[in-house]
Amino acid sequence: MHILHVVGARPNFMKAAPVLRALAAHSGVRQTLVHTGQHYDAAMSDVFFHQLEMPQPDYNLGVGSGTHAQQAAGVMLTFEPLVRECKPDLVLVYGDVNSTVAAALVCSKLGLRVGHVEAGLRSRDRSMPEEINRLLTDQLSDLLFTPSADGDENLLREGIDPAKVHLVGNVMIDTLVRLLPRAEAHLPADLPSPYALVTLHRPSNVDDLPWLRELLDTLADLSGQLHVVFPVHPRTRQRLNEIASSHGAVAHLRLLDPLPYLEFLALQSHAAMVITDSGGIQEETTFLGVPCLTVRENTERPITVTHGTNQLVGRNLQKLSEAAMQICNRDSIGYTRARRTCELPLWDGRAAQRIAQIIERN
Ligand code: UD1
């Protein structure tokens, strides 16, 4: 069986790595890896391939940055002739980035079978580009691999044939489980303690400059209580460059370049709290038992909230400050958290093996 994987952006790599490994252990499976080039900086791509021990891509489509239409069209135009020539039996796409939906659309028009890893997540917020990508990719897919039962419920509600849906667990957590023991050795040196770890890259937070300024002020206030360590995504770096000279708050934050996987995992596991707008980080902190404050109005990963590690603070900066102070106070009175005792069903490091078994049967 010939399986072709399509990855494009940073969060795809952590999801594809365990599936590539699990399928490599099955005899009679041939694999081809296509990188669309949506993310291309060494710090956003190459270093992840290295640390996650992924094979080098067989093809790189070199699509790069652009508007959503440019990115999706770039993937479609370059991927179509390639996939026609490769004639895979199954194409696996990951997560919810522009590369995911573009590759799925090409394949479904060519009558090729598509499997979606991390299917069924819904924020119910169509102003998020990722929500559109998730809805469409799931409609186009023949095999839908969900990380948690809420994903199955969402898909059934949208009329997807239940025979296509497979609850397998969380592949991103597969990677975390495998690499957490190695992460400790990658903890950045001269780290201040205690610290809050911050990541922000959603257009809704960083492209709205007046809002970004207020958010930075709130983080600067928090730095009176604990250090604020902030690895900066390229999109966010551009915005900070636009406002930094006129905005003193930035001086109170420890800004870092984007970090490799192991360094970032080590930072997460030692953080007093994480403040983020990422999807995957909500899940990783849940597994690690680290309090997470999510600067979004909604989440496609509600299980992280019901589990108790994640709080949505929305666009309410007072709520963000109060929740952060509460965590600081809780820690200062000796509250010990249940670290690494995640009991979410199927978040056990074996989701990719279940995917490989299902693919073999289908
Ligand atoms: C994309 C995904 C988002 C995911 C995020 C993870 C979509 C719609 N968005 O957002 O879901 O959470 O990746 O990082 O697919 N840039 C660089 N170097 C790179 C890549 C990007 O400098 O290697 C800069 C470019 O200026 C680019 C900007 O970052 O315009 C945004 O990149 P893009 O891939 O369009 O979206 P992300 O914000 O990274």
Side-chain angles (χ1 to χ4, degrees), residues 287-349:
F287 188 89
L288 295 167
V290 174
C292 179
L293 302 176
T294 298
V295 191
R296 285 174 44 188
E297 297 288 351
N298 47 55
T299 179
E300 62 289 340
R301 287 146 164 113
I303 199 169
T304 60
V305 176
T306 51
H307 186 71
T309 43
N310 186 20
Q311 280 182 68
L312 296 181
V313 296
R315 282 174 77 88
N316 183 336
L317 293 172
Q318 196 181 335
K319 200 167 167 188
L320 173 60
S321 296
E322 285 170 6
M325 285 313 298
Q326 227 171 30
I327 295 167
C328 289
N329 293 336
R330 206 166 61 177
D331 280 355
S332 70
I333 57 167
Y335 169 87
T336 49
R337 32 177 125 102
R339 311 290 301 248
R340 289 167 207 168
T341 54
C342 178
E343 282 160 13
L344 289 175
L346 305 179
W347 288 30
D348 59 356

